[in-house]
Amino acid sequence: MSESTTDHPTTHEVSAEIARSWLLVAATRPESFDAAERSRADQIILDVEDAVDPRLKPAARDSVVEWLSNGGSGWVRINDRASDFWSDDVDALAGLPGLRGVMLAKAEAAAHVSETFDRLKGITPVIALVESALGIEEAVSIARARGAYRLAFGSGDYRRDTGTSADDLAMAYPRSRLVIASRVGNLPGPIDGPTVGTSHPVLREQGGMAVSLGMTGKLCLDIEQLPIINEVISPTRSDVAWAREFLNDFEARGRVIRDGSDLPRLGRAQKIDKLARAFGVEPA
């Protein structure tokens, strides 16, 4: 979306509801947690699921618990509801002062989300990571589940489950399903899966495709990806200029709605202005 932005706000000033960049950090590397928190990521996710060998999961979980208990702050990607690790994950994390929320791997049913939310004392938001054909099929019920905060797309596992290629056309359907489910469930826009590598053109292309479909965030695998993803998913400076001009004119005419097109334009202008202020984007 964006042509340019100003300096990134202080880490985690951007609300998770509208966060663009979600940096995945392997829980086996506790020495990297502080650097991730200081990075340009809107939110960080300490990963005790895919990034961790099953034999190392207890130790990795302990490292996350220690960091979140001693001043660290972030989200945690936990193991899926059907796994042998889920129960220990939620019990260890429940009530930790630095826990912002959890990302539930391989969400395939509303009950997976609600049971996770309940075990976390009913106060911790749950991002449902949808990674399979069944998860895509159940996306609406998942989005409506008690405790659901946002949906996210596990694109790599989805491709492995379905045999789908990484082609934009092939991947448009599951992404669109998550966008529609998020709207039906009254959730913020979903978070797209990660892009491998740090090639700026590829990041811009794939980020732009996700935005065009209605996604409003993206998982990131490397700190080097963050500035590009934040830029692509922010409003453009020209859009901000249009929004501010429209809103100023709207106030000047006494907030009078002139015709049927004014209301949708007002809604769009207000949304752009809100995001621009949150992300520090100035008009052209």
PDB file of all heavy atoms in Angstrom, residues 12 36 44 79 87 103 152 159 177 200 213 284:
ATOM      1  N   HIS A  12       5.966  -2.130  19.727  1.00  0.00           N
ATOM      2  CA  HIS A  12       4.681  -2.561  20.239  1.00  0.00           C
ATOM      3  C   HIS A  12       3.718  -1.420  20.543  1.00  0.00           C
ATOM      4  O   HIS A  12       2.694  -1.637  21.160  1.00  0.00           O
ATOM      5  CB  HIS A  12       4.834  -3.478  21.456  1.00  0.00           C
ATOM      6  CG  HIS A  12       5.754  -4.624  21.203  1.00  0.00           C
ATOM      7  ND1 HIS A  12       5.818  -5.289  20.006  1.00  0.00           N
ATOM      8  CD2 HIS A  12       6.677  -5.215  21.998  1.00  0.00           C
ATOM      9  CE1 HIS A  12       6.731  -6.245  20.076  1.00  0.00           C
ATOM     10  NE2 HIS A  12       7.264  -6.214  21.256  1.00  0.00           N
ATOM     11  N   ALA A  36      14.668  -8.969  19.138  1.00  0.00           N
ATOM     12  CA  ALA A  36      13.391  -9.005  18.427  1.00  0.00           C
ATOM     13  C   ALA A  36      12.431  -7.976  18.996  1.00  0.00           C
ATOM     14  O   ALA A  36      11.737  -7.269  18.253  1.00  0.00           O
ATOM     15  CB  ALA A  36      12.784 -10.406  18.523  1.00  0.00           C
ATOM     16  N   ILE A  44       5.894  -9.341  18.148  1.00  0.00           N
ATOM     17  CA  ILE A  44       6.771 -10.503  18.024  1.00  0.00           C
ATOM     18  C   ILE A  44       6.044 -11.750  18.528  1.00  0.00           C
ATOM     19  O   ILE A  44       5.182 -11.674  19.408  1.00  0.00           O
ATOM     20  CB  ILE A  44       8.099 -10.311  18.775  1.00  0.00           C
ATOM     21  CG1 ILE A  44       7.884 -10.211  20.287  1.00  0.00           C
ATOM     22  CG2 ILE A  44       8.836  -9.096  18.255  1.00  0.00           C
ATOM     23  CD1 ILE A  44       9.173 -10.282  21.092  1.00  0.00           C
ATOM     24  N   ASN A  79       1.644 -25.059  20.421  1.00  0.00           N
ATOM     25  CA  ASN A  79       1.353 -26.265  19.657  1.00  0.00           C
ATOM     26  C   ASN A  79      -0.148 -26.480  19.523  1.00  0.00           C
ATOM     27  O   ASN A  79      -0.951 -25.956  20.309  1.00  0.00           O
ATOM     28  CB  ASN A  79       2.018 -27.460  20.326  1.00  0.00           C
ATOM     29  CG  ASN A  79       3.529 -27.406  20.207  1.00  0.00           C
ATOM     30  OD1 ASN A  79       4.115 -27.792  19.207  1.00  0.00           O
ATOM     31  ND2 ASN A  79       4.196 -26.891  21.248  1.00  0.00           N
ATOM     32  N   SER A  87      -1.429 -28.872  26.144  1.00  0.00           N
ATOM     33  CA  SER A  87      -1.835 -28.686  27.535  1.00  0.00           C
ATOM     34  C   SER A  87      -0.722 -28.061  28.365  1.00  0.00           C
ATOM     35  O   SER A  87      -0.955 -27.115  29.143  1.00  0.00           O
ATOM     36  CB  SER A  87      -2.252 -30.031  28.135  1.00  0.00           C
ATOM     37  OG  SER A  87      -2.747 -29.859  29.451  1.00  0.00           O
ATOM     38  N   MET A 103      -0.734 -17.570  19.533  1.00  0.00           N
ATOM     39  CA  MET A 103      -1.115 -17.990  18.190  1.00  0.00           C
ATOM     40  C   MET A 103      -1.247 -19.500  18.235  1.00  0.00           C
ATOM     41  O   MET A 103      -0.270 -20.207  18.509  1.00  0.00           O
ATOM     42  CB  MET A 103      -0.076 -17.545  17.162  1.00  0.00           C
ATOM     43  CG  MET A 103      -0.333 -18.091  15.757  1.00  0.00           C
ATOM     44  SD  MET A 103       0.828 -17.407  14.533  1.00  0.00           S
ATOM     45  CE  MET A 103       0.100 -15.786  14.264  1.00  0.00           C
ATOM     46  N   ALA A 152      -4.895 -16.102  11.044  1.00  0.00           N
ATOM     47  CA  ALA A 152      -3.619 -16.048  10.326  1.00  0.00           C
ATOM     48  C   ALA A 152      -3.535 -17.250   9.402  1.00  0.00           C
ATOM     49  O   ALA A 152      -4.178 -18.275   9.635  1.00  0.00           O
ATOM     50  CB  ALA A 152      -2.447 -16.023  11.306  1.00  0.00           C
ATOM     51  N   ARG A 159      -0.166 -25.540   1.745  1.00  0.00           N
ATOM     52  CA  ARG A 159       0.265 -26.066   0.453  1.00  0.00           C
ATOM     53  C   ARG A 159       0.618 -27.540   0.560  1.00  0.00           C
ATOM     54  O   ARG A 159       0.298 -28.336  -0.328  1.00  0.00           O
ATOM     55  CB  ARG A 159       1.456 -25.263  -0.083  1.00  0.00           C
ATOM     56  CG  ARG A 159       1.110 -23.849  -0.490  1.00  0.00           C
ATOM     57  CD  ARG A 159       2.173 -23.243  -1.400  1.00  0.00           C
ATOM     58  NE  ARG A 159       3.496 -23.253  -0.795  1.00  0.00           N
ATOM     59  CZ  ARG A 159       3.978 -22.270  -0.050  1.00  0.00           C
ATOM     60  NH1 ARG A 159       3.227 -21.209   0.209  1.00  0.00           N
ATOM     61  NH2 ARG A 159       5.196 -22.346   0.448  1.00  0.00           N
ATOM     62  N   ARG A 177     -10.852 -16.642   1.579  1.00  0.00           N
ATOM     63  CA  ARG A 177     -11.714 -17.291   2.572  1.00  0.00           C
ATOM     64  C   ARG A 177     -11.448 -16.732   3.968  1.00  0.00           C
ATOM     65  O   ARG A 177     -12.378 -16.506   4.750  1.00  0.00           O
ATOM     66  CB  ARG A 177     -11.465 -18.801   2.566  1.00  0.00           C
ATOM     67  CG  ARG A 177     -12.068 -19.533   1.392  1.00  0.00           C
ATOM     68  CD  ARG A 177     -13.518 -19.904   1.631  1.00  0.00           C
ATOM     69  NE  ARG A 177     -13.666 -20.841   2.738  1.00  0.00           N
ATOM     70  CZ  ARG A 177     -14.831 -21.332   3.140  1.00  0.00           C
ATOM     71  NH1 ARG A 177     -15.929 -20.969   2.522  1.00  0.00           N
ATOM     72  NH2 ARG A 177     -14.897 -22.169   4.155  1.00  0.00           N
ATOM     73  N   HIS A 200      13.682  -7.618  -1.683  1.00  0.00           N
ATOM     74  CA  HIS A 200      12.696  -6.542  -1.581  1.00  0.00           C
ATOM     75  C   HIS A 200      11.611  -6.628  -2.648  1.00  0.00           C
ATOM     76  O   HIS A 200      10.425  -6.477  -2.330  1.00  0.00           O
ATOM     77  CB  HIS A 200      13.406  -5.184  -1.626  1.00  0.00           C
ATOM     78  CG  HIS A 200      14.170  -4.880  -0.380  1.00  0.00           C
ATOM     79  ND1 HIS A 200      14.671  -3.624  -0.090  1.00  0.00           N
ATOM     80  CD2 HIS A 200      14.519  -5.667   0.679  1.00  0.00           C
ATOM     81  CE1 HIS A 200      15.294  -3.657   1.075  1.00  0.00           C
ATOM     82  NE2 HIS A 200      15.224  -4.879   1.546  1.00  0.00           N
ATOM     83  N   LEU A 213      -6.025  -8.493  -1.497  1.00  0.00           N
ATOM     84  CA  LEU A 213      -7.087  -9.443  -1.175  1.00  0.00           C
ATOM     85  C   LEU A 213      -7.793  -9.100   0.136  1.00  0.00           C
ATOM     86  O   LEU A 213      -8.801  -9.734   0.465  1.00  0.00           O
ATOM     87  CB  LEU A 213      -6.509 -10.857  -1.095  1.00  0.00           C
ATOM     88  CG  LEU A 213      -6.025 -11.447  -2.424  1.00  0.00           C
ATOM     89  CD1 LEU A 213      -5.272 -12.746  -2.186  1.00  0.00           C
ATOM     90  CD2 LEU A 213      -7.188 -11.673  -3.376  1.00  0.00           C
ATOM     91  N   ALA A 284       1.385  13.105   1.509  1.00  0.00           N
ATOM     92  CA  ALA A 284       2.341  13.540   0.490  1.00  0.00           C
ATOM     93  C   ALA A 284       2.343  15.053   0.388  1.00  0.00           C
ATOM     94  O   ALA A 284       1.316  15.692   0.570  1.00  0.00           O
ATOM     95  CB  ALA A 284       1.951  12.923  -0.854  1.00  0.00           C
TER      96      ALA A 284
END
